[in-house]
Amino acid sequence: MAMTTLSDFSEDERALILDAPGAVLNATVVSDGRPSPLEFLKELSAGAKVFREAQRDENRFVRAVANAIRERGSDSSGGQGLPDSEEAMSAALDQAGRALTLLRERADGDDAEEYGAWLVRIAVHVSEASKSKLGGLFSKKVAVTPGEQAFIERLTEAVKD
């Protein structure tokens, strides 16, 4: 069986596959509204770490996608600032779903499942990066807020068969 490569896809299809991980990262960052600058940096740093790890992933296709994203650079944000959280989450879920549908139709072996698992991993690691206080001064810090958890659950549902 031949391996799935990015060259198996048209330019538009490749863009979708390469854009979905960043969309998931952005949506996770804003899933609870606007993060503080420190939270934002911690979450971005966690996202960067998951992308770096994916460049050495066991799955060749995930590795190829992560390396292609690195080579392309991060010029896609264009300095527009943070997106609206509901808008960003809907866009990320839509992109992830379309990318996975495409991969399930055309990719070999476990590539679609591994790609989907990577998208969820991005959301989980970014969510866990900064603890936030819910309910005020004397409440305990939680690693994953309800908004982040809801997004992770929606994403997990979107990447299932």
Side-chain angles (χ1 to χ4, degrees):
M1 182 187 277
M3 284 184 333
T4 309
T5 64
L6 284 170
S7 61
D8 295 338
F9 301 94
S10 72
E11 193 174 321
D12 287 344
E13 292 168 337
R14 268 194 311 274
L16 175 65
I17 292 165
L18 296 179
D19 289 346
V24 167
L25 171 68
N26 290 336
T28 307
V29 168
V30 298
S31 61
D32 266 327
R34 302 231 176 262
S36 74
L38 183 59
E39 288 170 334
F40 178 73
L41 288 174
K42 284 181 179 177
E43 291 177 344
L44 228 47
S45 174
K49 184 177 184 215
V50 180
F51 278 80
R52 279 193 309 276
E53 288 168 356
Q55 292 166 8
R56 298 181 305 277
D57 197 273
E58 287 178 22
N59 181 277
R60 293 172 81 134
F61 185 72
V62 169
R63 205 167 51 230
V65 171
N67 282 305
I69 291 169
R70 187 193 71 215
E71 288 165 18
R72 184 171 73 168
S74 59
D75 58 349
S76 56
S77 68
Q80 304 140 352
L82 291 174
D84 170 69
S85 61
E86 198 51 50
E87 198 176 290
M89 289 188 288
S90 294
L93 293 168
D94 176 63
Q95 281 186 317
R98 288 187 300 129
L100 281 157
T101 297
L102 177 67
L103 290 174
R104 285 191 185 103
E105 290 170 358
R106 308 237 312 268
D108 294 321
D110 296 330
D111 292 341
E113 303 325 305
E114 291 297 325
Y115 177 86
W118 177 45
L119 295 180
V120 172
R121 226 172 22 251
I122 292 167
V124 169
H125 286 286
V126 170
S127 293
E128 292 174 344
S130 77
K131 293 187 181 301
S132 58
K133 283 194 179 207
L134 293 175
L137 188 59
F138 296 105
S139 61
K140 66 180 185 139
K141 287 192 172 196
V142 293
V144 180
T145 65
E148 291 167 334
Q149 187 58 45
F151 177 67
I152 291 168
E153 288 168 9
R154 287 168 67 191
L155 180 64
T156 301
E157 207 47 49
V159 302
K160 282 184 181 171
D161 276 336

